[in-house]
Amino acid sequence: MATIGDVAQVAGVSRSTASNVLSGNKRTSPEIQERVRRAVDTLGYTPNAGARALATSQTRVIGLLARFLDDEFAPAMLQYILGVSNTARELGYDILLVSEADGARALQRITSSLMVDGVVLLNVAERDDRLDVLRGANRPGVLVGLPGDPSGLDVFDLDFAETGRLMVQHLARLGHRELLLVSQPDHVVERGGAYVWRLRDAAVEEARLRGVTLRTVAAAPSQPEVGADLRAALDAHPDVTGLLVSNEAAAAALPFVLRDRGLESPRDVSVVGRFSAEFARTFSLPYTSIESAPDRLGQLAVRQLVRRIESPGGREEAHGVRFISPELVDRGSTGAPRPADGGTIAG
Amino acid sequence: MATIGDVAQVAGVSRSTASNVLSGNKRTSPEIQERVRRAVDTLGYTPNAGARALATSQTRVIGLLARFLDDEFAPAMLQYILGVSNTARELGYDILLVSEADGARALQRITSSLMVDGVVLLNVAERDDRLDVLRGANRPGVLVGLPGDPSGLDVFDLDFAETGRLMVQHLARLGHRELLLVSQPDHVVERGGAYVWRLRDAAVEEARLRGVTLRTVAAAPSQPEVGADLRAALDAHPDVTGLLVSNEAAAAALPFVLRDRGLESPRDVSVVGRFSAEFARTFSLPYTSIESAPDRLGQLAVRQLVRRIESPGGREEAHGVRFISPELVDRGSTGAPRPADGGTIAG
DNA sequence: CTGAAAGCGCTTACAG
DNA sequence: CTGAAAGCGCTTACAG
């Protein structure tokens, strides 16, 4: 491997001059620049990342802490990872992907060894044991997902409360009076999935304000249990004309369940989901939905992180929570409710 | 940040002794060990990764080159990534995830800068522009996926030819004489997805040997086009009693298509897929399938890579192609064909 | 068994 | 504008 010493020698300059040409930090004469560039080309020189990191305390690597939990839906997670990864590369950073179960320990390891310039935490829980580590770390970090205590942290998330309200509004305006919200199971909430109740509570409140009945049901986070949960929920609430599906696994299973009963949306039941366009495409979901925007959240998170890393006073600027406003993507699965005498959705 | 110098000072030893205790490379007295360990604890010392990499030329990071192509099914890809990532962590390595479009350039970048000790290439094509870079690189690499010219490379892959034969055998033995293979579209093959024709050609040959009719159809790699392709294929071949579904997107869409026509498997049509158990779970696929074993392939690949990295003569050992034997997982979607007079599967 | 010294390949004040 | 020198934090022969 060629070193910068080799480059300097071939170019006939000192190592510091070669370094200055390559970094562009100091002005150098065009002639010198040309000589150094030629030397780099002939030698096929690439700076040694470890040596550079040692000298500058910068690695140009961002740590990405993902969590693949059994009770969450892996394909949805992938989209966040890709969103972060793509934006990082655009800004000149590589991604160290950490998917191990013990995220707190992993975070400690990669920050204290200075392997990364900063970190992005995905799938943040209400009480997340990674946050104390992050607060004590020597590198900045941003979260995707709102924890219970976001103080001193940069947080990006979908506005789940507004999402809940929007879902209810949309169906209420179309004339629906009997709604069913398909949510995540209780243990997701207990484990810290605060987004679940943020959406649910707001939906319930909005329904109350509008004098609409909103029932809530928890469905399993994976196949095939989620299908059974959906069927049971429809049986239990035959008057329902509108479905709010916040649970992504349930959304993926819904076409099967509706077809089983000969139901069509929006003819027999109106459906509003909460998932990304990419997710809809992967699972052939024909439902109107609130876009969950994983790519945009990943992008915002990385941009903010890079600002903290690179801007001189970036580390000290005020932290805050930034919500993405939910947007409804119409895929034609909602309409006026079927007439009251039009039978039931129970099988 | 504490350095090893601080540790040495607190422990009252020299830096080299502290280093030796931590690495375990040289024998040290128990008392000294204890003193050093205590100093590490009180200071919260973690070695600086860059400095260590510079001194040892080892980073304990493995580069993972993924490719997310529009014409392949992203959720299937995730499983390989997780397989590699989990095994790497078990062996003490972190993962640098590279998902950018220009894989060859990325590979050049991470190897020549010595950011990684080795690389795993996913989704390798028949003619893959990353391979020349890998052959010229100063770090070892292993592939998941068989290229046209595997010389000088470590390759792991499912035995697609045997997979094709096994699928045909399984249905032929049950009495099926009219089979349909749902494959990938031509442009996947042209781009270099050799696995497509490896499976197809072997299936065709096996069918010929057994005197069974095997038709082949290409289906789109994503929703919703794949559904239309499946419907058209069933219409075009009404005599078919057995489906071999190698295309993962087609497998995910098949339940919808069959239900549309009131078909059940195995009553009306027998189905054998090729996908992982995890994939089956995610998409609620009730089909007997050849296990594609992404986790196992990832594990084998990483183990081999780490062997090359760590064993003294590991770099020089003979390279080779290792196939995983296909295994059929029975999910009850195959049986004897319906009687010849039993109607057709066309809608 | 322990320690002083050199070296890994960069960058960056600093002096000229 | 250019170069000699120091330093980043480790590891590792080498001498004792």
Side-chain angles (χ1 to χ4, degrees):
Chain A
M1 296 300 301
T3 73
I4 200 168
D6 300 327
V7 171
Q9 196 167 16
V10 169
V13 298
S14 74
R15 293 182 349 181
S16 33
T17 298
S19 177
N20 286 331
V21 169
L22 295 180
S23 69
N25 285 343
K26 263 183 170 175
R27 288 167 63 107
T28 44
S29 72
E31 188 218 325
I32 294 270
Q33 287 185 26
E34 181 53 29
R35 266 159 55 195
V36 171
R37 300 225 174 281
R38 233 199 305 267
V40 166
D41 284 348
T42 54
L43 291 168
Y45 167 76
T46 313
N48 178 306
R52 176 173 280 181
L54 181 56
T56 63
S57 299
Q58 294 231 337
T59 61
R60 301 213 61 98
V61 174
I62 288 173
L64 176 53
L65 279 100
R67 299 199 300 174
F68 288 92
L69 300 162
D70 280 345
D71 60 4
E72 285 177 329
F73 203 52
M77 189 68 163
L78 178 60
Q79 323 227 1
Y80 292 88
I81 294 179
L82 258 25
V84 168
S85 172
N86 293 338
T87 304
R89 188 82 285 278
E90 278 168 26
L91 300 178
Y93 286 79
D94 277 301
I95 290 292
L96 196 76
L97 175 68
V98 178
S99 61
E100 62 194 278
D102 191 344
R105 224 164 72 103
L107 182 56
Q108 182 70 52
R109 175 165 49 82
I110 67 174
T111 54
S112 62
S113 64
L114 302 186
M115 294 179 81
V116 296
D117 292 343
V119 295
V120 175
L121 270 54
L122 254 33
N123 208 345
V124 172
E126 176 76 0
R127 311 186 57 161
D128 197 311
D129 62 352
R130 300 174 296 182
L131 300 188
D132 281 341
V133 178
L134 179 57
R135 288 201 179 89
N138 47 358
R139 312 264 97 166
V142 303
L143 322 187
V144 176
L146 177 67
D149 173 15
S151 62
L153 299 169
D154 285 312
V155 178
F156 295 88
D157 205 356
L158 179 66
D159 188 337
F160 278 88
E162 187 58 29
T163 298
R165 283 189 285 270
L166 198 55
M167 292 169 110
V168 170
Q169 273 169 28
H170 181 71
L171 290 176
R173 281 184 186 143
L174 288 166
H176 294 264
R177 325 302 301 163
E178 298 283 338
L179 302 179
L180 179 64
L181 170 62
V182 182
S183 195
Q184 281 78 2
D186 286 343
H187 59 94
V188 171
V189 180
E190 283 156 21
R191 207 204 48 236
Y195 62 94
V196 175
W197 57 255
R198 280 196 280 142
L199 186 151
R200 190 176 54 199
D201 291 357
V204 166
E205 174 65 11
E206 182 71 20
R208 200 184 57 73
L209 288 174
R210 294 180 173 261
V212 169
T213 305
L214 176 71
R215 296 201 166 75
T216 291
V217 65
S222 68
Q223 323 288 358
E225 299 79 5
V226 63
D229 291 344
L230 278 172
R231 291 186 178 89
L234 293 180
D235 285 339
H237 306 293
D239 296 334
V240 161
T241 62
L243 248 36
L244 319 186
V245 188
S246 173
N247 177 326
E248 280 158 318
L254 190 58
F256 296 84
V257 173
L258 293 185
R259 222 167 272 201
D260 257 3
R261 325 203 143 205
L263 297 176
E264 278 181 24
S265 72
R267 192 192 64 190
D268 307 303
V269 59
S270 286
V271 178
V272 182
R274 181 198 55 82
F275 45 74
S276 71
E278 180 65 24
F279 190 86
R281 188 171 156 271
T282 301
F283 288 88
S284 301
L285 301 183
Y287 307 127
T288 294
S289 79
I290 304 292
E291 171 63 45
S292 57
D295 43 359
R296 209 167 133 230
L297 282 166
Q299 185 183 68
L300 288 172
V302 171
R303 292 220 173 123
Q304 172 66 11
L305 179 61
V306 169
R307 215 169 297 137
R308 292 242 179 247
I309 293 170
E310 296 184 356
S311 82
R315 297 299 248 288
E316 277 66 43
E317 276 167 29
H319 298 262
V321 176
R322 261 143 296 187
F323 284 127
I324 288 193
S325 293
E327 279 175 30
L328 192 127
V329 179
D330 193 340
R331 295 190 182 87
S333 65
T334 60
R338 66 177 188 287
D341 59 359
T344 104
I345 62 172
Chain B
M1 294 301 299
T3 73
I4 200 168
D6 300 327
V7 171
Q9 197 168 14
V10 168
V13 299
S14 74
R15 295 185 347 188
S16 31
T17 298
S19 177
N20 287 330
V21 169
L22 295 180
S23 69
N25 286 341
K26 264 183 170 175
R27 288 167 62 107
T28 44
S29 72
E31 188 219 324
I32 294 272
Q33 287 184 26
E34 181 54 28
R35 268 160 52 196
V36 170
R37 299 225 176 281
R38 233 198 308 267
V40 166
D41 284 347
T42 54
L43 291 169
Y45 168 75
T46 313
N48 178 305
R52 176 174 279 180
L54 180 58
T56 63
S57 298
Q58 294 231 337
T59 61
R60 301 212 63 95
V61 174
I62 288 174
L64 176 54
L65 280 100
R67 299 200 301 174
F68 288 92
L69 299 162
D70 279 346
D71 59 5
E72 283 177 330
F73 202 52
M77 188 68 164
L78 178 60
Q79 324 228 2
Y80 291 89
I81 294 179
L82 257 25
V84 167
S85 172
N86 293 338
T87 304
R89 189 84 282 278
E90 278 168 26
L91 300 178
Y93 286 80
D94 277 301
I95 289 292
L96 195 77
L97 175 68
V98 179
S99 61
E100 61 192 279
D102 191 345
R105 223 162 74 104
L107 183 56
Q108 181 70 52
R109 175 164 50 83
I110 67 174
T111 54
S112 63
S113 65
L114 268 38
M115 294 179 82
V116 296
D117 292 343
V119 294
V120 175
L121 271 53
L122 253 35
N123 208 343
V124 172
E126 176 77 0
R127 311 186 56 160
D128 197 310
D129 62 353
R130 300 174 297 183
L131 300 187
D132 281 340
V133 178
L134 179 57
R135 288 201 178 88
N138 46 357
R139 313 263 98 166
V142 304
L143 322 188
V144 176
L146 178 67
D149 173 15
S151 63
L153 299 169
D154 285 313
V155 178
F156 295 88
D157 206 357
L158 180 67
D159 188 336
F160 279 88
E162 187 59 27
T163 298
R165 283 189 287 269
L166 197 56
M167 291 170 110
V168 170
Q169 274 169 27
H170 181 72
L171 290 177
R173 281 186 187 142
L174 288 167
H176 293 265
R177 322 306 298 163
E178 298 283 338
L179 302 179
L180 180 64
L181 169 62
V182 181
S183 195
Q184 281 76 2
D186 287 341
H187 60 93
V188 171
V189 180
E190 285 157 19
R191 207 205 47 236
Y195 62 93
V196 177
W197 57 255
R198 279 196 280 142
L199 186 151
R200 189 175 55 199
D201 291 357
V204 166
E205 175 64 10
E206 182 70 19
R208 201 185 56 74
L209 288 174
R210 293 180 173 262
V212 168
T213 305
L214 175 70
R215 295 200 165 77
T216 290
V217 64
S222 68
Q223 323 289 358
E225 297 81 3
V226 63
D229 290 345
L230 277 172
R231 291 186 178 90
L234 293 180
D235 285 339
H237 306 293
D239 296 334
V240 161
T241 63
L243 249 35
L244 320 186
V245 187
S246 173
N247 176 326
E248 279 157 320
L254 190 58
F256 296 84
V257 173
L258 293 185
R259 220 165 274 201
D260 257 3
R261 323 201 145 208
L263 297 177
E264 278 180 26
S265 71
R267 191 191 67 190
D268 306 303
V269 58
S270 287
V271 177
V272 183
R274 179 198 56 81
F275 45 75
S276 71
E278 179 65 24
F279 190 85
R281 187 170 156 272
T282 300
F283 289 89
S284 300
L285 301 184
Y287 306 127
T288 293
S289 79
I290 305 292
E291 171 63 46
S292 58
D295 42 359
R296 209 166 134 233
L297 282 166
Q299 185 182 68
L300 289 171
V302 171
R303 290 219 173 123
Q304 172 65 13
L305 179 60
V306 169
R307 215 170 296 137
R308 292 243 179 246
I309 292 170
E310 297 184 355
S311 82
R315 299 297 249 287
E316 276 66 43
E317 275 166 29
H319 299 261
V321 175
R322 263 143 295 189
F323 284 126
I324 287 193
S325 294
E327 279 175 31
L328 192 126
V329 179
D330 193 340
R331 295 191 182 87
S333 65
T334 61
R338 66 177 188 286
D341 59 359
T344 105
I345 62 172

